[in-house]
Amino acid sequence: MATQLEPDVHADEEAFRTEVQQFLANHFPDELKGKANALAGVDGPTDETPAQTKWREAVGERGWGTPTWPKQYGGGGLTKSEAKIVEQEFAKAGAYNPIGGMGVMMFGPTLLEYGSEAQKSEHIPPICRGEIRWCQGYSEPNAGSDLANLQTFAEDKGDHYVVNGQKTWTSGGQWADKCFAIVRTDKSDKHRGISFMLIDMDAPGVEVRPITMISGTSPFCETFFTDVKVPKANLVGEEGQGWTIGKRLLQHERTNISGGGSLARLMGQSLGEIAKKYGETDADGELTDRVLRDRIADFEIRWNSFLLTARRAVEESKAQGGVSEISSVLKKVGTKLSQERSELLIEIRGLQGLGWEGEEFTDGELEAVRGWLFGKATTIYGGSTEIQNNIIAKRVLGMLDHQ
Amino acid sequence: MAVLNEEQEMLRDMAREWATNESPVTEFRKVRGAGEPRAYSADAYATMAQMGWAGIIVPEAHGGSDFGFMSAGLVVEELGKTLTASPLVATTIAASAIVLGGSEEQKAKWLPRLASGETVATLAVDEGAQHDPSAIETSVSGGKLTGKKAFVHEAHGADLFVVAAKDGLYLVEKGDGVALTTRKLTDQRSHADIAFDGAAADRLANGGDSLLDDVLARAQVVTAAEMLGMAQAVFDTTLDYLKQRVQFNQVLATFQALQHRMADLFADLAQMRSAVEAGLQAVDSGFGVGRAAIIAKAEANRVLHVISNQGIQLHGGIGMTDEYDVGFYLKRARVLEASWGSSSYLKDRFAKLSGY
């Protein structure tokens, strides 16, 4: 039977591949070839060029930006292997996925799991079309690593809540249309007093102030809520279920931060190759700075075993039908190594690698400086390294709670 | 842990059970106490060979099971956990040299004997205290091999030596022209300097110019597998200890400083396991072997070094005693770290292979 079926499946996949190729030929504007999705970054611009709009609308209409999400809510409704084909063909054509942001990475999957039918029908389709930008209302000035200490309060007023409080580190808050937030609905219970709700960023009483970071950019904001009315229809799950839903969403976030695949792409060129351009080499083409050479090799060996670990985590999770216990180390190890790489990159370039602005620096040099600075946040957000260590010690190693 | 097939799972379970029940660290203590230069129990090695472990990488045609290096690594890892003293690793490495470089005649003569455990073999490459395959002075003239080899593993039990000379690898049997000088190292295992003086030598003529490098890659991954078992054992023992030991009216495991240190070691161990398993798998697939073996051994060196030190520190004073096992792992760790490439050697090789 299997041998009978295989050619058909194969033929179907080939037909689908042709469909994707035709779609790209018809809709992907040449001028965007090889570009990244400028609007996906939390730090990106807000205005689209006509070509960008055209491309986003074309992909959004098909749902292929969220290929495996259900078709009834505007997703692609594709199988995993079809989604892979879309990804492969887009990559071949140098086409980026114009549908992105926190709606796709974190909020959408969570709402599909916990949202009501009405909420899914209302909020998922605009995410699939890339029309709505979401931001995350989690951290507060006194609720960072101790997130459950959040104080923003939603007072029950019958058919709606009135929300008061302050969120911080709201990524892309200045450009967001809506915010998924965890807020307090009960002051008597730290964890079960938290609820998950959706807030319009243009509602009266919402005020956003961008925060300038050490990298010179303002990807994060402070968000103030003063007597903001939130309809009860915007409560996701039940009152008091917010901590559970909120933690589930963080799992999506951590996967995105640590993911070996995307980090591998970010890492790009070998540090050794870069060092050869900036430093001296001997007759064999080896770096004459032996100390630096040793440190680069030391880093790259560990980086290689991180990529192997990320791959192993996926294989083990598949084989076990559950999350592998080594997944717990990926965020902590991946973020540490990418910071280390940024430091080495600067050291390789000397003062030429610390440029802030000016034509004497290449784009690559300038981006590396901003990336180095901004990268310091990766071991703090999404559950800091210290929190990751607590989780590993408690959940994986079975060491008792220190509290 | 890599995803295993059924055969591999059975092999690992069998090795784990045997090591735990028949070859715990108390058996190593007995070997140490006996004080023989060979430093292993011949009965134990015969049992291991009976279970097929000496022939895991040997082709079926020559009396092995041809399960490959990943499978061999699983067994070696389990034996590393209990510091089982045996010539299994040395013989496996030597057998791989014959598999890769031997003529049909050489294979037919030696591989069945290695697989059955009848013959113990070992690889002799280095001529000084540091691993350096580029500094070989040993030479062969008219079928007679002359030169000095240093710190050869399992030399006392070996009947057959795979010896690196300037122009390739040679098989040399124990006997005339082969003189051992025992070198007692901190791990209390068998090591010897060997003076070859016109010993009869049979060249491994196949395998091409890269034969020595290919064999060293296999030495690196199998050694790394032993080190992985040791690191896992020290980590597990230390974690158990932290959960039992009470100070200031609480178990040590409740102190956050120690929790975070263990979380770091856990992450390091995960990295080490990924690298070692990938090295073993690379040998089986034949793809990117040299580089994967370097990564495997380099990560094994780095992580076992840290874990063996932390094992002592976290056990406190009791870890300093001979009565406690953790010190044995520290001593064996350093010997293996220095064998087939120290960390600085491996980083240099990695940089060379990467073109910088």
Side-chain angles (χ1 to χ4, degrees), chain B residues 132-215:
Chain B
D132 188 357
S134 70
I136 291 171
E137 297 292 329
T138 296
S139 61
V140 180
S141 151
K144 303 285 180 192
L145 182 142
T146 299
K148 288 185 183 345
K149 294 294 172 185
F151 299 102
V152 177
H153 287 251
E154 306 301 336
H156 300 89
D159 314 293
L160 179 69
F161 299 92
V162 176
V163 185
K166 278 179 179 174
D167 63 336
L169 290 173
Y170 287 82
L171 298 178
V172 177
E173 293 182 58
K174 183 173 77 176
D176 289 346
V178 181
L180 271 58
T181 306
T182 299
R183 300 299 305 271
K184 266 204 140 180
L185 297 185
T186 185
D187 65 348
Q188 312 280 339
R189 294 280 295 270
S190 160
H191 303 277
D193 291 345
I194 307 179
F196 294 97
D197 184 9
D202 189 15
R203 184 157 196 259
L204 293 173
N206 296 330
D209 292 343
S210 66
L211 180 62
L212 177 58
D213 282 346
D214 293 341
V215 173

Side-chain angles (χ1 to χ4, degrees), chain B residues 20 99 143-144 168 172 206 214 252 255 268 311 313 343 346:
Chain B
T20 310
V99 170
K144 303 285 180 192
V172 177
N206 296 330
D214 293 341
L252 296 183
F255 288 101
D268 279 334
Q313 176 67 22
S343 296
L346 294 163

Side-chain angles (χ1 to χ4, degrees), chain B:
Chain B
M1 178 86 259
V3 178
L4 305 177
N5 64 34
E6 217 169 291
E7 229 162 41
Q8 290 171 327
E9 275 185 23
M10 276 172 60
L11 193 62
R12 183 205 49 201
D13 293 348
M14 184 167 77
R16 183 173 294 173
E17 198 178 320
W18 186 81
T20 310
N21 298 329
E22 309 298 329
S23 183
V25 181
T26 48
E27 291 300 308
F28 171 68
R29 286 180 184 275
K30 282 183 201 163
V31 166
R32 182 181 71 150
E36 292 175 28
R38 190 184 59 199
Y40 67 86
S41 153
D43 287 348
Y45 187 58
T47 307
M48 291 163 65
Q50 263 170 30
M51 291 189 281
W53 298 349
I56 293 176
I57 62 116
V58 172
E60 289 182 65
H62 297 297
S65 62
D66 204 13
F67 282 172
F69 275 81
M70 182 66 211
S71 299
L74 293 172
V75 172
V76 168
E77 180 189 339
E78 294 303 324
L79 299 174
K81 285 182 185 171
T82 61
L83 293 172
T84 297
S86 90
L88 181 68
V89 168
T91 301
T92 300
I93 295 167
S96 78
I98 299 173
V99 170
L100 291 171
S103 64
E104 278 312 308
E105 202 185 333
Q106 287 165 329
K107 288 183 195 175
K109 180 177 178 187
W110 291 110
L111 293 177
R113 293 193 210 175
L114 299 183
S116 71
E118 179 192 334
T119 297
V120 164
T122 192
L123 177 67
V125 174
D126 294 314
E127 302 185 355
Q130 299 281 2
H131 177 59
D132 188 357
S134 70
I136 291 171
E137 297 292 329
T138 296
S139 61
V140 180
S141 151
K144 303 285 180 192
L145 182 142
T146 299
K148 288 185 183 345
K149 294 294 172 185
F151 299 102
V152 177
H153 287 251
E154 306 301 336
H156 300 89
D159 314 293
L160 179 69
F161 299 92
V162 176
V163 185
K166 278 179 179 174
D167 63 336
L169 290 173
Y170 287 82
L171 298 178
V172 177
E173 293 182 58
K174 183 173 77 176
D176 289 346
V178 181
L180 271 58
T181 306
T182 299
R183 300 299 305 271
K184 266 204 140 180
L185 297 185
T186 185
D187 65 348
Q188 312 280 339
R189 294 280 295 270
S190 160
H191 303 277
D193 291 345
I194 307 179
F196 294 97
D197 184 9
D202 189 15
R203 184 157 196 259
L204 293 173
N206 296 330
D209 292 343
S210 66
L211 180 62
L212 177 58
D213 282 346
D214 293 341
V215 173
L216 288 173
R218 283 151 180 81
Q220 285 159 347
V221 297
V222 180
T223 304
E226 181 177 346
M227 297 166 83
L228 176 61
M230 292 165 61
Q232 183 75 56
V234 174
F235 181 85
D236 291 345
T237 308
T238 303
L239 182 59
D240 285 347
Y241 183 75
L242 294 179
K243 289 178 182 177
Q244 285 162 16
R245 171 77 172 167
V246 175
Q247 290 284 276
F248 306 104
N249 297 318
Q250 45 184 324
V251 287
L252 296 183
T254 59
F255 288 101
Q256 195 178 33
L258 305 185
Q259 291 177 344
H260 285 201
R261 203 177 308 169
M262 289 304 281
D264 280 342
L265 298 181
F266 178 74
D268 279 334
L269 188 56
Q271 293 268 90
M272 176 185 186
R273 180 172 290 285
S274 309
V276 173
E277 290 177 351
L280 293 161
Q281 286 166 337
V283 172
D284 288 336
S285 73
F287 184 72
V289 178
R291 190 181 167 89
I294 291 200
I295 294 170
K297 180 69 170 36
E299 283 292 83
N301 279 7
R302 174 178 74 85
V303 176
L304 181 59
H305 191 92
V306 174
I307 289 189
S308 58
N309 279 336
Q310 286 298 328
I312 301 277
Q313 176 67 22
L314 291 169
H315 274 83
I318 201 171
M320 292 295 295
T321 64
D322 186 74
E323 193 188 332
Y324 239 69
D325 293 341
V326 67
F328 291 163
Y329 290 87
L330 174 74
K331 292 185 271 190
R332 178 69 174 163
R334 293 302 178 276
V335 171
L336 295 183
E337 284 170 45
S339 303
W340 315 124
S342 64
S343 296
S344 58
Y345 170 85
L346 294 163
K347 284 187 268 183
D348 176 62
R349 286 287 299 163
F350 182 87
K352 276 197 170 68
L353 286 179
S354 307
Y356 58 88

Side-chain angles (χ1 to χ4, degrees), chain A residues 265-282:
Chain A
R265 280 193 291 278
L266 273 179
M267 290 288 177
Q269 222 180 345
S270 139
L271 282 177
E273 289 303 315
I274 296 170
K276 280 171 77 169
K277 284 187 198 144
Y278 284 83
E280 285 176 22
T281 52
D282 64 15

Side-chain angles (χ1 to χ4, degrees), chain A residues 104-340:
Chain A
V104 173
M105 288 190 300
M106 298 179 234
F107 174 60
T110 310
L111 192 71
L112 283 169
E113 193 174 340
Y114 288 97
S116 68
E117 196 52 45
Q119 287 168 337
K120 287 192 266 193
S121 301
E122 180 184 352
H123 298 296
I124 300 290
I127 294 175
C128 296
R129 293 194 300 266
E131 290 170 358
I132 292 283
R133 283 185 164 200
W134 284 87
C135 66
Q136 179 183 35
Y138 269 42
S139 297
E140 296 181 6
N142 287 314
S145 284
D146 184 10
L147 185 59
N149 190 41
L150 60 92
Q151 302 299 326
T152 295
F153 188 66
E155 192 184 356
D156 192 334
K157 292 282 190 185
D159 65 339
H160 67 273
Y161 296 100
V162 169
V163 177
N164 279 286
Q166 182 194 346
K167 292 290 177 185
T168 190
W169 311 127
T170 322
S171 305
Q174 67 269 57
W175 299 300
D177 305 294
K178 289 171 188 293
C179 174
F180 52 89
I182 45 179
V183 299
R184 186 155 296 288
T185 43
D186 178 355
K187 291 178 180 169
S188 68
D189 190 315
K190 185 172 177 180
H191 291 94
R192 273 167 300 192
I194 294 172
S195 299
F196 191 102
M197 56 184 68
L198 314 177
I199 303 174
D200 279 340
M201 292 299 279
D202 55 7
V206 178
E207 191 195 340
V208 179
R209 294 181 203 156
I211 305 166
T212 302
M213 305 297 286
I214 54 176
S215 56
T217 55
S218 304
F220 301 119
C221 299
E222 294 177 290
T223 306
F224 299 88
F225 300 106
T226 311
D227 293 331
V228 177
K229 271 177 82 171
V230 178
K232 283 236 167 126
N234 285 5
L235 175 73
V236 177
E238 288 166 21
E239 237 180 51
Q241 210 188 347
W243 185 243
T244 306
I245 300 173
K247 273 198 304 187
R248 180 86 185 111
L249 187 138
L250 283 179
Q251 288 182 344
H252 294 295
E253 181 178 8
R254 279 169 200 160
T255 312
N256 282 311
I257 296 171
S258 68
S262 54
L263 274 176
R265 280 193 291 278
L266 273 179
M267 290 288 177
Q269 222 180 345
S270 139
L271 282 177
E273 289 303 315
I274 296 170
K276 280 171 77 169
K277 284 187 198 144
Y278 284 83
E280 285 176 22
T281 52
D282 64 15
D284 296 326
E286 292 182 6
L287 293 167
T288 51
D289 183 339
R290 305 308 271 187
V291 177
L292 181 64
R293 177 175 178 268
D294 176 88
R295 289 174 53 218
I296 293 172
D298 184 90
F299 167 79
E300 293 202 327
I301 287 169
R302 285 177 292 122
W303 176 248
N304 269 284
S305 63
F306 171 68
L307 293 181
L308 293 167
T309 304
R311 195 177 74 189
R312 185 159 70 89
V314 172
E315 285 169 1
E316 284 185 9
S317 301
K318 262 191 212 155
Q320 295 165 6
V323 179
S324 153
E325 63 176 24
I326 56 163
S327 304
S328 63
V329 308
L330 295 180
K331 198 229 163 198
K332 144 190 171 79
V333 177
T335 50
K336 173 173 182 279
L337 288 174
S338 55
Q339 289 180 351
E340 227 180 286

